[in-house]
Amino acid sequence: NAGVTQTPKFQVLKTGQSMTLQCAQDMNHNSMYWYRQDPGMGLRLIYYSASEGTTDKGEVPNGYNVSRLNKREFSLRLESAAPSQTSVYFCASRLHRDRVQPQHFGDGTRLSIL
Amino acid sequence: GDSVTQMEGPVTLSEEAFLTINCTYTATGYPSLFWYVQYPGEGLQLLLKATKADDKGSNKGFEATYRKETTSFHLEKGSVQVSDSAVYFCALSGDYGGSQGNLIFGKGTKLSVKP
């Protein structure tokens, strides 16, 4: 059982390049999330999708777009990468957007922007 | 809005020492509380949770009790092992207001256990 799978695991971009981070879950979860993790900042929510067909902004959405392709897949796109977007990106999923449900995380994408 | 504050690290302990990592929260309504653990190079894993006041979550020798009167959810373990070295995150998921069911994380506490 793979859980939450993120691709790629590592990526280096130049400023201004675009890229899409992929995320897929096989747990039949309804809600999916994208976070970024920076030193000393914990995890900050970028975008989330409470259910298939919906997406909403989180705490730090600027510079990102998302697509909930189907129930399994939720992608994050950087249209014009900036050095401030150097970070570790985590995708997570949850059965429902219900306070008692835990989130399940992928192993992350380590993104460096030069 | 909702927030989580946890003790800053890093915390360095000797093997078999007692561990406490403090976590306090601010939230409207009745949030659920979680501890996640992140091992080097990996994603976050759920360690334990509590969904109502006075609940005690426990897993792998770790425990935390949901204290509504002190708005706290401190993580404890009686005897740590080298394999417990990781970053620990406290998080809440609230009903209303700022979090609206999303997870709000503390900044993390790095634990290093020496043999």
Side-chain angles (χ1 to χ4, degrees):
Chain A
N1 192 349
V4 178
T5 303
Q6 293 184 234
T7 55
K9 295 189 184 303
F10 302 93
Q11 186 69 49
V12 179
L13 294 178
K14 295 180 179 179
T15 297
Q17 287 185 318
S18 62
M19 174 169 188
T20 299
L21 280 60
Q22 306 288 349
C23 174
Q25 53 90 9
D26 63 2
M27 296 174 283
N28 202 34
H29 285 176
N30 291 288
S31 301
M32 298 185 74
Y33 304 79
W34 276 106
Y35 295 89
R36 59 178 291 172
Q37 182 180 29
D38 302 294
M41 300 293 290
L43 275 78
R44 293 182 292 170
L45 183 63
I46 304 171
Y47 271 93
Y48 65 97
S49 172
S51 60
E52 187 178 359
T54 69
T55 60
D56 285 286
K57 296 179 180 179
E59 181 185 355
V60 289
N62 290 345
Y64 305 96
N65 286 300
V66 290
S67 295
R68 183 74 184 267
L69 304 170
N70 49 54
K71 190 171 185 179
R72 291 186 62 249
E73 299 174 287
F74 188 39
S75 63
L76 178 72
R77 183 162 178 84
L78 287 69
E79 290 289 353
S80 178
S84 61
Q85 294 177 305
T86 293
S87 188
V88 182
Y89 291 86
F90 288 100
C91 178
S93 70
R94 191 185 209 183
L95 181 59
H96 295 291
R97 190 164 165 254
D98 180 319
R99 67 174 184 85
V100 304
Q101 295 291 335
Q103 292 185 14
H104 300 260
F105 286 80
D107 285 338
T109 294
R110 286 147 184 82
L111 182 62
S112 293
I113 301 170
L114 307 176
Chain B
D2 296 353
S3 65
V4 173
T5 303
Q6 61 182 104
M7 63 186 288
E8 294 187 14
V11 174
T12 302
L13 296 174
S14 297
E15 205 164 24
E16 299 184 359
F18 185 86
L19 169 70
T20 300
I21 300 178
N22 291 336
C23 173
T24 57
Y25 68 90
T26 302
T28 55
Y30 300 92
S32 292
L33 301 172
F34 304 85
W35 277 101
Y36 281 84
V37 58
Q38 184 180 32
Y39 299 103
E42 297 184 8
L44 278 71
Q45 302 174 24
L46 177 67
L47 182 59
L48 52 84
K49 73 173 187 178
T51 59
K52 61 183 186 297
D54 300 323
D55 267 1
K56 177 185 283 187
S58 62
N59 186 25
K60 300 181 180 179
F62 291 89
E63 293 183 339
T65 301
Y66 188 163
R67 301 288 189 198
K68 190 165 177 64
E69 65 274 16
T70 55
T71 62
S72 65
F73 192 54
H74 305 320
L75 182 68
E76 297 183 336
K77 186 175 185 183
S79 177
V80 294
Q81 305 301 311
V82 172
S83 57
D84 294 326
S85 298
V87 181
Y88 293 82
F89 291 93
C90 185
L92 72 80
S93 179
D95 282 326
Y96 310 108
S99 72
Q100 296 180 352
N102 293 327
L103 277 179
I104 305 296
F105 286 90
K107 294 185 177 181
T109 302
K110 183 176 182 179
L111 171 66
S112 294
V113 181
K114 306 298 184 185

